[in-house]
Amino acid sequence: MTSICLVSCYFGSWPRYINLFLESCRYNPTVDFLLFSDCGPLPESPSNVRVVEMELDDIRQRAREKIGIKEPAIHRPFKLCDFRPAFGVMFKDYLSEYEFWGHTDIDLIYGKIKDIVSEDILNEKEVISGKKYYLTGWFWLFENNDKINNLFRRSADYEAVMSSERNLIFDECAGAWDELIGGASILDLNTEIESMTEVIRREEQAGRLRTHFANLGREIMNGDPYRWEEGALYEGESERLLLHFVLLKNRYYFTFPDWETVPSRFHVLPTGFYRDGEQEGLNYLRALPAGKIARRWWQKMSKKIKHRFPWR
């Protein structure tokens, strides 16, 4: 069985939904997760999740030593997005035993990874992305070798990107999401930088790279609720790799549960997470966290009022 390690860097404090992420990792025992962080240990984490204590300065030093960037502009955690494609080089000493490494965000829940990313795919492809349009920073897999780990160096702009204070979305497509979803080719667009999507598509077109771009994960709700059941994730009756709640979590009416123990079966609706049986009818109304929603709505409106009337 192909060995896989998914990597993430997270700094500050663990988010309120970390238990959901960890529980979904627990049900993927053949995949390892490596979290570089200054947030402290996660005592309830499963055995396949390892937290490595690092400060942002440590990451910056690795960028200097491993990539050769004289002044890597890692002064805030979000800038690390532009360094993700180089993690195979930066963390080579942690990843040497794996056949594939990848990047993962932690504001998501996984289904059964190996059911979606099959051994056939892993045997045939070198780069695997979570969307068919562009390389997805929230999930990808790279074959772990010097050729793939150094693909980022094939961008004419990687040194400028990593030396810039700005987040240039190098790990994905330089912000050209709408154009690519609309059917454009990254090779025909005049983006500000040569992103990893452009590098990979150019190598693929030249016959030098075997890729798998597919809509494996989801970030939106199109009507069907999601059901997570003992590690498997379903949208209606369709099995999914993951649900990334990057958009959902910013909606004032979407709330995360206060579960001490994550149940073996739960549902994700437009308003948040619900235990089995709470997701419909009167039970849904009873379980609806109206107080939380009202508080978040007021917090959001208060910010708008203060912005519009700063003297108040």
Side-chain angles (χ1 to χ4, degrees):
M1 183 177 292
T2 304
S3 57
I4 295 174
C5 184
L6 289 167
V7 178
S8 189
C9 292
Y10 195 89
F11 294 90
S13 58
W14 296 117
R16 60 192 183 278
Y17 43 75
I18 188 64
N19 60 328
L20 301 169
F21 170 75
L22 292 175
E23 191 64 14
S24 72
C25 296
R26 189 187 310 277
Y27 280 86
N28 284 284
T30 61
V31 177
D32 286 344
F33 297 84
L34 190 57
L35 310 180
F36 296 98
S37 178
D38 63 355
C39 299
L42 289 167
E44 302 299 321
S45 63
S47 59
N48 61 329
V49 176
R50 179 185 176 193
V51 177
V52 177
E53 185 175 341
M54 278 196 187
E55 302 289 335
L56 209 56
D57 282 345
D58 300 323
I59 305 293
R60 191 182 303 116
Q61 185 60 27
R62 279 181 173 262
R64 288 192 191 97
E65 294 176 356
K66 307 293 186 180
I67 307 174
I69 303 296
K70 291 182 179 179
E71 292 298 332
I74 306 174
H75 302 297
R76 51 194 174 87
F78 195 57
K79 178 60 182 177
L80 284 168
C81 295
D82 283 337
F83 287 78
R84 289 170 176 173
F87 281 2
V89 174
M90 291 172 62
F91 302 117
K92 184 177 181 179
D93 48 330
Y94 289 92
L95 298 170
S96 59
E97 66 185 89
Y98 298 98
E99 295 166 271
F100 275 81
W101 73 273
H103 185 267
T104 181
D105 279 352
I106 64 173
D107 56 345
L108 53 80
I109 51 172
Y110 278 105
K112 294 192 173 181
I113 296 172
K114 290 288 188 74
D115 284 0
I116 305 299
V117 184
S118 66
E119 283 295 313
D120 286 343
I121 294 173
L122 293 168
N123 289 335
E124 294 172 6
K125 306 300 181 181
E126 298 169 289
V127 171
I128 298 160
S129 176
K131 278 191 178 292
K132 68 180 182 180
Y133 313 105
Y134 51 83
L135 186 69
T136 44
W138 36 266
F139 175 86
W140 76 56
L141 291 174
F142 284 179
E143 190 169 9
N144 191 14
N145 57 50
D146 287 342
K147 168 192 167 184
I148 305 302
N149 291 347
N150 285 281
L151 277 175
F152 71 91
R153 299 187 194 274
R154 293 185 177 271
S155 167
D157 300 311
Y158 84 90
E159 290 179 299
V161 166
M162 294 178 181
S163 301
S164 172
E165 299 283 345
R166 296 169 55 209
N167 179 21
L168 294 164
I169 320 174
F170 178 59
D171 58 327
E172 292 192 345
C173 56
W177 302 290
D178 291 343
E179 294 93 330
L180 298 181
I181 292 172
S185 167
I186 190 76
L187 302 179
D188 296 329
L189 298 178
N190 184 25
T191 53
E192 182 177 358
I193 59 161
E194 286 185 7
S195 66
M196 284 302 295
T197 297
E198 183 170 351
V199 168
I200 289 168
R201 289 302 197 188
R202 188 171 61 225
E203 294 297 299
E204 177 188 48
Q205 187 179 77
R208 295 189 291 262
L209 195 60
R210 305 186 309 277
T211 71
H212 183 74
F213 281 75
N215 290 330
L216 306 176
R218 300 289 282 163
E219 295 182 288
I220 58 174
M221 300 192 75
N222 280 336
D224 284 329
Y226 295 89
R227 182 178 85 257
W228 188 90
E229 186 170 1
E230 294 185 342
L233 177 66
Y234 300 93
E235 181 184 18
E237 297 304 315
S238 300
E239 191 170 0
R240 301 297 185 193
L241 171 71
L242 61 83
L243 172 62
H244 185 207
F245 26 85
V246 63
L247 302 176
L248 292 170
K249 70 182 182 183
N250 292 322
R251 297 175 180 174
Y252 72 85
Y253 51 81
F254 188 85
T255 63
F256 292 96
D258 298 323
W259 296 330
E260 289 187 12
T261 301
V262 178
S264 61
R265 178 183 169 110
F266 60 79
H267 304 263
V268 188
L269 278 65
T271 51
F273 290 74
Y274 296 87
R275 295 178 186 274
D276 197 31
E278 293 180 341
Q279 77 277 12
E280 54 191 18
L282 289 175
N283 287 337
Y284 172 69
L285 293 177
R286 293 190 189 102
L288 192 69
K292 287 184 180 179
I293 292 172
R295 283 194 298 273
R296 293 186 69 184
W297 175 84
W298 176 244
Q299 289 168 358
K300 185 174 183 179
M301 293 304 298
S302 297
K303 288 180 181 179
K304 286 186 176 180
I305 292 170
K306 288 178 181 178
H307 179 72
R308 190 168 183 179
F309 304 106
W311 62 86
R312 289 180 65 88

